[in-house]
Amino acid sequence: MAAPMSWRRLVLSVYSPAMAGAFARVSDRLFRVRDRRRGSSVLLLAPLLAETDTAPRRVSRPSGSAGAQGTDGLCAHFGWMAEQAPAFRVPGTHIQILTSPEQFYQAMKAHIKTAQKRVVMASLYLGTGRMEQELVDCIEEALERSKENAHAPGLKVSILLDYTRGSRGQINSRTMLLPLLQRFTSQMRVSLYHTPDLRGLLRLLVPERFNETIGVQHIKVYLFDDSVIISGANLSDSYFTNRQDRYVLLQNCSEVADFFSDLVEAVGDVSLQLRPDDSVTMLEGLVHPYKGNRQAFSAAARKRIMAVVNAARMRQQLLQSEDSGGSGDVSEGEEDTWVFPLVQMKPLGIQLDEQVTQRLLMSASSDSAVFLTSGYFNLTRTYMRLVLGAGANYRILTASPEVNGFFGAKGVAGAIPAAYTHIAGQFYQQVCQLGQHERVHLHEYRRPQWTFHAKGLWYYLQGQHQPCLTLIGSPNFGYRSVHRDLEAQIAIVTENEELQRRLQEEQEMLFRRSTEVSSSTFKQPDRHVKLWVKLVTPLIKNFF
């Protein structure tokens, strides 16, 4: 894949999502004139219930032999990604696949302890238990050593969380981090992203427990100097013990680390800044996410974030152009892997991940195979149409009701596992009706005392027994991931046989603990879905 990259810039849509934009305008207007107009507050939720998937764009299928191996073959299949996202070339030997929550937790602690210049962490929230406190203690020790060490006096720590989830309860993510912020004010930054869609009357009416359903900061990136962990796991004890996710560690990949550091900084710049007294404020001159104009905030945020993406993409294209025009670098043979960061922030008009995922699914030919996993089986209509209409062989892994993170929850949340059972049942029925049951297989993850949160996919070209591509990160392939939240994942394209083998082992490890769904699965007594759950399933699909 050393051929020069195309210089065409991707023309991105700049519209605000119709659903969120329409609601924001209506909500702001109602909030300002609430004394002059009266109406049911329930109507405020109506625009949020309709899915607005757009049909995938027509694209040509990448050329090249489906069974082609090596750089040229992979370039023919996946080189188009470099036209839409930054393309970083790295040695496959620098990529480590972590397979357990314990490995994930220990890797973070170890890298924090040795960090000398930066620790950057983006997550939905930080838990408040013992294991989370140990993580905070590791950061504190690293900052203390930085002050005492003349060789590394400039350690900076930047943490990005979601405002709504990170502020929930009296003891929360903010209170966990305040002591560090108070003690290391000049070295510490805590940013709390607030969706522009939670504003006006909606912000006043939605209970604290459910306000995160409107939209959150969902990116999971954990960065230490020039190494970075990309995952779907949050900073909470269950993700360190018995909640299965996926995690990839890119060691000594400075360009990839720089990109994600810049990305988190950009999102942090348009977020609320936590102050040592537990108050929050915006950076000077920036639009407030829920007090300011919705369109102005989204435009400013999009401009700031896309500046990072476009600068990285242009820089990498220049590097590749220079490499292709030279006599060849002796290190090229070991740089056998490409990393493509994919960002999805549709409330801000950014949809790179959606576009790449659609094209990837669309271009999957009948001689290829895709293994896909999501903790919450809730494919968007577009993704579902592509899976059902494509020629590739699919195996889809999702959580059985018992390992769903909402299993046993109180209230409406307790109905979520049954709702996902209903969604899976409807999908399986479509598969059978279309005669696709030999091509599309649905599996359920089962593991006593564990929950399942893994997401991503593994892509196999014709005749391959190991994947040459994987998607890994925060998106769930569902409505929320595409339309509501801030997401990021990476596409790893590799010809490194050892890395392919480890990706294959990861896939087998997850699917080994699953059972394949059949028509009898949904006839079992414990799979009976109550009528009221079926009625609220569209609501759950859009909000959870």
Side-chain angles (χ1 to χ4, degrees):
M1 295 180 67
M5 296 296 174
S6 167
W7 284 88
R8 290 175 296 164
R9 286 178 178 269
L10 174 65
V11 180
L12 297 171
S13 170
V14 296
Y15 77 94
S16 298
M19 176 181 64
F23 170 76
R25 290 190 296 272
V26 171
S27 179
D28 283 345
R29 191 174 297 115
L30 285 173
F31 186 69
R32 287 192 298 267
V33 299
R34 64 188 182 276
D35 293 331
R36 292 185 287 113
R37 296 184 181 180
R38 295 186 180 273
S40 173
S41 61
V42 177
L43 294 177
L44 291 174
L45 295 176
L48 297 172
L49 304 183
E51 186 166 353
T52 58
D53 276 350
T54 56
R57 297 177 301 160
R58 290 285 181 183
V59 295
S60 58
R61 182 169 295 167
S63 60
S65 168
Q69 297 294 321
T71 300
D72 292 339
L74 293 182
C75 183
H77 276 85
F78 308 115
W80 54 267
M81 290 185 182
E83 299 175 9
Q84 299 181 267
F88 298 99
R89 193 172 185 179
V90 303
T93 53
H94 287 199
I95 298 179
Q96 181 181 354
I97 307 300
L98 309 180
T99 58
S100 71
E102 174 70 10
Q103 278 187 316
F104 169 57
Y105 183 60
Q106 294 301 332
M108 281 198 297
K109 290 175 66 176
H111 280 81
I112 290 172
K113 290 177 180 179
T114 58
Q116 294 188 356
K117 61 178 181 178
R118 62 185 175 188
V119 172
V120 180
M121 309 181 86
S123 183
L124 175 63
Y125 68 102
L126 170 70
T128 59
R130 176 187 60 82
M131 298 184 78
E132 297 92 324
Q133 185 59 55
E134 288 182 11
L135 209 60
V136 173
D137 292 343
C138 285
I139 297 174
E140 182 177 21
E141 292 169 9
L143 287 167
E144 287 176 344
R145 284 195 304 272
S146 174
K147 276 192 170 183
E148 299 169 359
N149 186 356
H151 298 290
L155 178 65
K156 300 291 185 180
V157 176
S158 177
I159 298 177
L160 170 66
L161 304 173
D162 181 69
Y163 177 89
T164 56
R165 188 64 183 269
S167 304
R168 182 190 295 176
Q170 290 186 337
I171 301 176
N172 52 42
S173 304
R174 292 163 63 164
T175 60
M176 291 287 288
L177 295 170
L178 277 175
L180 289 184
L181 195 60
Q182 292 163 352
R183 185 177 175 190
F184 303 98
T185 305
S186 63
Q187 293 174 269
M188 185 86 181
R189 180 188 191 188
V190 179
S191 304
L192 302 169
Y193 176 82
H194 192 295
T195 176
D197 293 328
L198 183 63
R199 55 175 47 234
L201 283 178
L202 186 63
R203 193 171 191 273
L204 295 176
L205 295 173
V206 177
E208 183 183 69
R209 185 184 177 191
F210 295 104
N211 57 14
E212 69 175 274
T213 62
I214 306 304
V216 295
Q217 192 302 114
H218 200 242
I219 297 170
K220 285 68 179 283
V221 170
Y222 309 107
L223 191 154
F224 321 94
D225 289 343
D226 291 334
S227 299
V228 58
I229 296 174
I230 307 296
S231 180
N234 289 302
L235 297 175
S236 181
D237 56 359
S238 63
Y239 292 91
F240 305 150
T241 53
N242 64 345
R243 188 159 173 77
Q244 184 64 58
D245 216 302
R246 296 182 68 208
Y247 337 81
V248 61
L249 169 61
L250 290 83
Q251 295 180 298
N252 300 318
C253 296
S254 59
E255 292 179 338
V256 179
D258 288 345
F259 172 82
F260 279 105
S261 177
D262 292 344
L263 178 66
V264 172
E265 181 181 5
V267 178
D269 285 349
V270 299
S271 300
L272 294 161
Q273 307 301 306
L274 184 63
R275 299 171 65 88
D277 62 358
D278 198 27
S279 64
V280 293
T281 185
M282 290 295 292
L283 294 179
E284 187 177 354
L286 293 178
V287 182
H288 198 282
Y290 65 87
K291 293 180 180 178
N293 179 271
R294 199 262 187 235
Q295 284 72 27
F297 171 82
S298 295
R302 181 183 183 279
K303 181 179 180 180
R304 176 70 179 90
I305 293 165
M306 285 306 299
V308 172
V309 176
N310 290 330
R313 185 159 61 90
M314 182 62 70
R315 184 165 55 249
Q316 292 308 116
Q317 288 178 343
L318 280 170
L319 290 173
Q320 293 307 316
S321 179
E322 291 172 1
D323 289 344
S324 65
S327 58
D329 192 323
V330 294
S331 68
E332 282 194 5
E334 67 182 48
E335 290 185 333
D336 49 16
T337 301
W338 291 85
V339 176
F340 301 93
L342 306 175
V343 181
Q344 181 73 14
M345 305 175 178
K346 210 162 188 176
L348 309 180
I350 300 172
Q351 53 193 95
L352 300 182
D353 179 65
E354 177 187 9
Q355 292 169 342
V356 170
T357 302
Q358 284 185 9
R359 180 165 176 176
L360 186 63
L361 297 179
M362 184 180 296
S363 63
S365 58
S366 59
D367 47 24
S368 60
V370 177
F371 283 66
L372 185 150
T373 181
S374 176
Y376 306 108
F377 185 74
N378 182 21
L379 299 180
T380 66
R381 291 174 183 168
T382 298
Y383 291 163
M384 192 173 295
R385 285 195 298 267
L386 291 173
V387 170
L388 294 175
N393 294 300
Y394 277 87
R395 288 194 177 272
I396 301 172
L397 177 62
T398 189
S400 64
E402 296 78 13
V403 300
N404 186 293
F406 291 96
F407 186 75
K410 297 179 180 180
V412 175
I416 292 175
Y420 282 120
T421 293
H422 184 50
I423 296 168
Q426 290 178 318
F427 175 77
Y428 185 77
Q429 186 178 26
Q430 280 188 279
V431 170
C432 295
Q433 289 175 347
L434 294 172
Q436 302 290 328
H437 54 281
E438 293 185 1
R439 186 182 64 82
V440 180
H441 302 264
L442 188 60
H443 297 250
E444 290 184 338
Y445 187 87
R446 298 176 179 276
R447 193 173 184 182
Q449 307 304 314
W450 280 63
T451 55
F452 185 68
H453 198 249
K455 68 262 306 190
L457 65 76
W458 302 259
Y459 190 106
Y460 300 73
L461 293 176
Q462 179 188 14
Q464 287 189 336
H465 301 292
Q466 298 180 156
C468 61
L469 177 149
T470 190
L471 296 183
I472 181 169
S474 64
N476 280 298
F477 305 104
Y479 183 89
R480 283 202 59 163
S481 290
V482 172
H483 293 281
R484 292 190 181 283
D485 300 336
L486 304 194
E487 306 278 10
Q489 65 178 339
I490 57 175
I492 300 175
V493 178
T494 184
E495 62 175 342
N496 184 291
E497 293 184 359
E498 177 60 22
L499 178 55
Q500 290 180 356
R501 183 186 65 79
R502 286 184 270 122
L503 287 170
Q504 175 64 18
E505 290 177 350
E506 179 201 31
Q507 180 265 105
E508 290 177 350
M509 177 198 72
L510 294 174
F511 275 79
R512 191 180 300 123
R513 293 185 178 274
S514 73
T515 57
E516 186 169 351
V517 167
S518 67
S519 56
S520 63
T521 302
F522 302 101
K523 297 177 182 178
Q524 297 173 9
D526 62 344
R527 294 304 180 95
H528 173 71
V529 181
K530 297 177 180 179
L531 177 60
W532 74 269
V533 175
K534 294 180 180 179
L535 293 175
V536 300
T537 293
L539 182 69
I540 290 174
K541 287 181 68 175
N542 286 356
F543 286 91
F544 293 92

